[in-house]
C-alpha cells in the first residue's frame, strides 16, 4: 500500500526500508528466511542512506547504510557498493578505525571496480590520518589508476582515483601535480554525474 500510495513521500525509502527490515527480523525470529525481504529492505535503506550521504548528512547516512549492510550477505554485490559510502561516513564522523575496516572489506571482497574505489578512498583517508608512508600510498594509487585507465573503467572509478591522488599529492606538498589530479577528478566526477564527489 505504501509503495502504491506513498510516491510523494520524501522519506518513502526510509519508511519502506524500516518496515521491510522489521519484517525480516520478525521472520528470522520465527526461523523463517526470506532473502527477498532482506534484499528489498537493504535496497531501500541504501537508497535513503545514499541520499543522506550526498546531502552531507553523514550521521544519517551512516545509520541507514549500516543497517543496509547488516541485512546483506557478506558476498552480496550491493553490500560492497554501500561499504564505500559507509566508510566515508565513518571517517567524517571521526571513526578512522571503522572507516579503514569497512573500506578494507570493500578492497578485499568487491569486484574489480568496487575494490578499486574502496582502495582509492581508503588510500586518501590513510594519507590524511597518517596511516602509512605517503610516497608508497601515492605510488599505489598511481599504479592502480594506470591499470584502471587501461580498462574500460567507468568515470566514477577514475574520479575516485584522481581524487585520492590529488589529496595525497597535496599532503606531500606537490601542489602543481595535485592541481592536475584534482582537475582530472573533477572532469571524471562531472562525466559520471556525481555532484557529491564533484
Amino acid at each position: 500500500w505504501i509503495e502504491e500510495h506513498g510516491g510523494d513521500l520524501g522519506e518513502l525509502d526510509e519508511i519502506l526500508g524500516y518496515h521491510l527490515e522489521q519484517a525480516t527480523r520478525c521472520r528470522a525470529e520465527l526461523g523463517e528466511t526470506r532473502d527477498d525481504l532482506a534484499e528489498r529492505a537493504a535496497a531501500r535503506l541504501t537508497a535513503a542512506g545514499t541520499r543522506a550521504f550526498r546531502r552531507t548528512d553523514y550521521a544519517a547516512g551512516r545509520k541507514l547504510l549500516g543497517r543496509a549492510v547488516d541485512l546483506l550477505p557478506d558476498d552480496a554485490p550491493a553490500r560492497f557498493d554501500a561499504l564505500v559510502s559507509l566508510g566515508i561516513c565513518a571517517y567524517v564522523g571521526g571513526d578512522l578505525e571503522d572507516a579503514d575496516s569497512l573500506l578494507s572489506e570493500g578492497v578485499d571482497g568487491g569486484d574489480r571496480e568496487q575494490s578499486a574505489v574502496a582502495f582509492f578512498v581508503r588510500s586518501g583517508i590513510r594519507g590524511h590520518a597518517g596511516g602509512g608512508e605517503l610516497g608508497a600510498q601515492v605510488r599505489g594509487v598511481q599504479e592502480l589508476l594506470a591499470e584502471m585507465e587501461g580498462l574500460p573503467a567507468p568515470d566514477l572509478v577514475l574520479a575516485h582515483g584522481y581524487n585520492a591522488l590529488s589529496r595525497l599529492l597535496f599532503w606531500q606538498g606537490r601542489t602543481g601535480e595535485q592541481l592536475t589530479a584534482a582537475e582530472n577528478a573533477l572532469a571524471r566526477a562531472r562525466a559520471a554525474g556525481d555532484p557529491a564527489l564533484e
Side-chain angles (χ1 to χ4, degrees), residues 78-121:
R79 178 184 174 84
F80 296 108
D81 287 334
L83 283 174
V84 170
S85 297
L86 182 56
I88 294 170
C89 289
Y91 164 69
V92 172
D95 192 344
L96 303 180
E97 188 175 319
D98 193 35
D100 195 81
S101 175
L102 291 163
L103 292 164
S104 293
E105 184 180 344
V107 170
D108 296 337
D111 65 22
R112 170 175 249 150
E113 292 170 7
Q114 292 166 328
S115 178
V117 169
F119 176 82
F120 291 140
V121 173

Side-chain angles (χ1 to χ4, degrees), residues 96 100 119 122-141 167-169 171-172:
L96 303 180
D100 195 81
F119 176 82
R122 185 184 69 181
S123 297
I125 288 173
R126 284 182 175 178
H128 185 227
E133 199 267 313
L134 282 174
Q137 289 175 351
V138 168
R139 287 189 296 279
V141 168
R167 293 169 59 131
L168 292 167
L169 290 170
W171 292 315
Q172 277 194 316

Side-chain angles (χ1 to χ4, degrees), residues 9-171:
L9 288 172
E11 303 84 16
L12 182 64
D13 287 321
E14 289 94 329
I15 293 168
L16 285 171
Y18 170 79
H19 286 289
L20 291 166
E21 177 185 30
Q22 294 308 305
T24 300
R25 296 194 189 289
C26 287
R27 284 187 178 273
E29 288 176 15
L30 294 170
E32 298 179 26
T33 56
R34 286 282 304 274
D35 290 342
D36 62 317
L37 282 180
E39 289 172 12
R40 287 172 57 205
R44 292 292 186 164
L45 292 169
T46 298
T50 300
R51 266 197 313 283
F53 171 79
R54 288 192 172 153
R55 68 175 181 264
T56 66
D57 185 352
Y58 297 112
R62 187 174 184 184
K63 287 178 188 172
L64 292 162
L65 290 165
R67 288 165 49 203
V69 165
D70 288 345
L71 288 167
L72 292 166
D74 290 345
D75 60 349
R79 178 184 174 84
F80 296 108
D81 287 334
L83 283 174
V84 170
S85 297
L86 182 56
I88 294 170
C89 289
Y91 164 69
V92 172
D95 192 344
L96 303 180
E97 188 175 319
D98 193 35
D100 195 81
S101 175
L102 291 163
L103 292 164
S104 293
E105 184 180 344
V107 170
D108 296 337
D111 65 22
R112 170 175 249 150
E113 292 170 7
Q114 292 166 328
S115 178
V117 169
F119 176 82
F120 291 140
V121 173
R122 185 184 69 181
S123 297
I125 288 173
R126 284 182 175 178
H128 185 227
E133 199 267 313
L134 282 174
Q137 289 175 351
V138 168
R139 287 189 296 279
V141 168
Q142 287 172 324
E143 288 170 10
L144 185 54
L145 255 174
E147 179 184 330
M148 298 309 289
E149 286 273 16
L151 302 170
D155 286 312
L156 186 61
V157 174
L158 298 172
H160 279 288
Y162 282 112
N163 185 44
L165 181 60
S166 171
R167 293 169 59 131
L168 292 167
L169 290 170
F170 175 79
W171 292 315

